[in-house]
Amino acid sequence: QVQLEESGGGSVQSGGSLSLSCSASEIAHYSFCMGWYRQTPGKEREGVASLDDRGVTDYAESVKGRFTISQDNANGTLYLQMDRLKPEDTAIYYCAAHLYDKGGYVDCSANYDYSDWGQGIQVTVSS
């Protein structure tokens, strides 16, 4: 099981930018699918973006062109750069991961059914 811890987030006005980080233990020894989900009260959790160890990314339509997912290969930290933020981006954002043995394959996507989750971090965008 991988330990995930989010940081960053906070409050910003509409049109602004925020960056989220997610530290991930054990990742260097495995292949992986990692990503970000978000959730607002009364709504289902929504997949935002994903990244696998081949560098393939996937984004929800609602964030394409505004959000960028990336990873620091040196330390395994996952990032989500959020630009041109909108009030509807307000949510708790969760880092998620699925690690598997090198040489395997999973169909990583923004809506992937991850096995491990962070605690979540609040992002608030005011109009």
Side-chain angles (χ1 to χ4, degrees):
Q1 187 175 9
V2 59
Q3 302 296 319
L4 302 171
E5 184 172 356
E6 301 100 338
S7 60
S11 298
V12 67
Q13 289 191 328
S14 182
S17 297
L18 284 173
S19 181
L20 303 181
S21 300
C22 174
S23 62
S25 64
E26 306 297 326
I27 195 171
H29 305 294
Y30 297 93
S31 291
F32 62 85
C33 173
M34 294 186 71
W36 296 91
Y37 266 72
R38 64 187 181 186
Q39 189 167 24
T40 54
K43 292 186 178 181
E44 289 189 2
R45 198 173 286 189
E46 175 192 20
V48 175
S50 65
L51 171 71
D52 68 16
D53 58 313
R54 298 169 298 157
V56 178
T57 59
D58 185 42
Y59 296 91
E61 286 295 325
S62 59
V63 307
K64 278 184 179 178
R66 300 189 298 121
F67 290 12
T68 304
I69 190 170
S70 62
Q71 191 199 31
D72 185 335
N73 291 325
N75 59 28
T77 300
L78 185 73
Y79 301 98
L80 185 68
Q81 177 64 36
M82 303 182 291
D83 299 318
R84 292 184 281 140
L85 282 159
K86 304 175 181 180
E88 51 263 45
D89 294 317
T90 296
I92 297 174
Y93 283 71
Y94 297 88
C95 177
H98 174 67
L99 305 187
Y100 54 99
D101 291 338
K102 287 187 182 291
Y105 173 79
V106 297
D107 188 12
C108 188
S109 69
N111 289 311
Y112 189 77
D113 186 15
Y114 294 100
S115 53
D116 300 294
W117 294 83
Q119 294 298 308
I121 193 164
Q122 180 69 46
V123 170
T124 302
V125 184
S126 58
S127 57

